[in-house]
């Protein structure tokens, strides 16, 4: 058990819909990362938050957005869903020192999104 | 550019065989970190090891060992006496601040290991 909690574990929805994925980081970790794992693209970094502020952006579509709340949990919002958005979405948290990642990322179990 | 290459897409072995998973990385940073993660069929990503660029000592943990060679930009992972429970996808990853990756992990495509009884 990594200590990172993600909900829901599975989600099935239709094209054009909007969903929200939730993540609670490990106790004490201020930084949250979102990754997308799809068959064709592999594991892709989407976005990082640190203590409520956006820290880095990766290959995140404009239809996707995220935020980190004062209690440090994070939500990833996916809108206008397309078939190609079907993937496993991971949240991870880490310890940062001086603002830099110095340890490993601890990943949640992922949220498997299926868009029909 | 930064890149992690796992050339072996799939490997199949019989239980008790030794198997080595290859990882080659590219970065212009002099300070970087390398990682291995395991993804069993259940889907979660499990951290196995982290190695920084200044520490080229090989590491052994039970049946697992890692060989880091800066000269060839490789960080290979060997499982000795493989077991069925080792069946998983294994990812090598690089953390480097160079080139706009902003210190986030860059993953290879993964190697799917199947260990047959």
């Amino acid at each position: 058990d990594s200590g990172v909690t993600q909900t829901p574990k599975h989600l099935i929805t239709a094209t054009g819909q909007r969903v929200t994925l939730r993540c609670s980081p490990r106790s004490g970790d201020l930084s949250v990362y979102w990754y997308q794992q799809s068959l064709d693209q592999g594991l892709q970094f989407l976005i990082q938050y640190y203590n409520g502020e956006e820290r880095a952006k990766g290959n995140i579509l404009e239809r996707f957005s995220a935020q980190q709340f004062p209690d440090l949990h994070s939500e990833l919002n996916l809108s206008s869903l397309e078939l190609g958005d079907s993937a496993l979405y991971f949240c991870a948290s880490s310890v940062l020192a001086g603002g830099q990642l110095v340890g490993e990322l601890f990943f949640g179990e992922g949220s498997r999104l299926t868009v029909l | 550019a930064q890149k992690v290459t796992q050339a072996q897409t799939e490997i199949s072995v019989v239980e008790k065989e030794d198997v080595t998973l290859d990882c080659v990385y590219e970065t212009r940073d002099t300070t970087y970190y390398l990682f291995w993660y395991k993804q069993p069929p259940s889907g979660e990503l499990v951290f196995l090891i982290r190695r920084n660029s200044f520490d080229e000592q090989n590491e052994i943990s039970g049946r697992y060992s890692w060989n880091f060679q800066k000269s060839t930009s490789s960080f290979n992972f060997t499982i000795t006496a493989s077991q069925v429970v080792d069946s998983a996808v294994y990812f090598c990853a690089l953390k480097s601040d160079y080139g706009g990756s902003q210190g986030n992990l860059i993953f290879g495509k993964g190697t799917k290991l199947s260990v047959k009884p």
Side-chain angles (χ1 to χ4, degrees):
Chain A
D1 183 0
S2 67
V4 177
T5 304
Q6 287 188 249
T7 56
K9 287 190 169 32
H10 300 277
L11 192 53
I12 301 174
T13 189
T15 53
Q17 295 298 304
R18 172 190 168 96
V19 298
T20 297
L21 309 180
R22 183 190 167 102
C23 169
S24 295
R26 289 189 323 153
S27 177
D29 286 353
L30 300 180
S31 197
V32 169
Y33 306 74
W34 286 97
Y35 280 80
Q36 179 195 57
Q37 185 180 29
S38 59
L39 282 175
D40 52 345
Q41 296 292 325
L43 269 161
Q44 297 277 313
F45 167 67
L46 295 179
I47 197 164
Q48 176 198 0
Y49 279 82
Y50 177 71
N51 204 20
E53 294 191 4
E54 183 183 303
R55 185 69 185 270
K57 239 176 180 176
N59 300 319
I60 188 167
L61 299 172
E62 285 190 11
R63 300 183 285 108
F64 297 179
S65 64
Q67 53 184 328
Q68 186 179 28
F69 295 86
D71 66 352
L72 300 178
H73 91 270
S74 177
E75 292 181 357
L76 178 66
N77 300 298
L78 315 174
S79 61
S80 303
L81 286 168
E82 302 175 359
L83 296 177
D85 297 327
S86 295
L88 189 53
Y89 291 85
F90 283 107
C91 171
S93 72
S94 69
V95 173
L96 298 186
Q100 296 297 317
L101 174 65
V102 294
E104 57 272 23
L105 295 189
F106 293 91
F107 284 83
E109 294 186 346
S111 293
R112 186 170 294 281
L113 172 66
T114 302
V115 182
L116 301 177
Chain B
Q2 297 160 102
K3 191 177 176 182
V4 175
T5 301
Q6 295 179 255
Q8 305 149 308
T9 306
E10 291 193 42
I11 300 176
S12 182
V13 299
V14 176
E15 212 170 15
K16 297 183 183 173
E17 282 186 30
D18 298 347
V19 58
T20 295
L21 310 182
D22 297 333
C23 172
V24 174
Y25 63 91
E26 293 176 32
T27 181
R28 292 187 183 180
D29 251 345
T30 54
T31 302
Y32 51 90
Y33 296 85
L34 295 163
F35 303 78
W36 276 94
Y37 282 84
K38 173 182 179 180
Q39 186 175 38
S42 50
E44 72 271 27
L45 280 167
V46 179
F47 166 76
L48 295 178
I49 190 171
R50 172 176 59 107
R51 173 69 69 208
N52 73 52
S53 53
F54 297 109
D55 183 2
E56 285 193 73
Q57 277 194 330
N58 291 333
E59 177 145 345
I60 298 175
S61 176
R63 296 184 297 106
Y64 294 171
S65 62
W66 290 269
N67 181 273
F68 176 30
Q69 291 195 341
K70 286 177 76 171
S71 60
T72 56
S73 297
S74 65
F75 185 42
N76 296 337
F77 173 30
T78 297
I79 302 175
T80 302
S82 60
Q83 299 176 1
V84 173
V85 292
D86 295 327
S87 296
V89 180
Y90 291 87
F91 291 94
C92 180
L94 165 71
K95 181 263 175 182
S96 165
D97 292 329
Y98 182 85
S101 72
Q102 295 143 326
N104 294 294
L105 292 192
I106 298 166
F107 284 86
K109 294 288 189 186
T111 296
K112 182 177 181 180
L113 174 65
S114 299
V115 181
K116 304 201 183 304

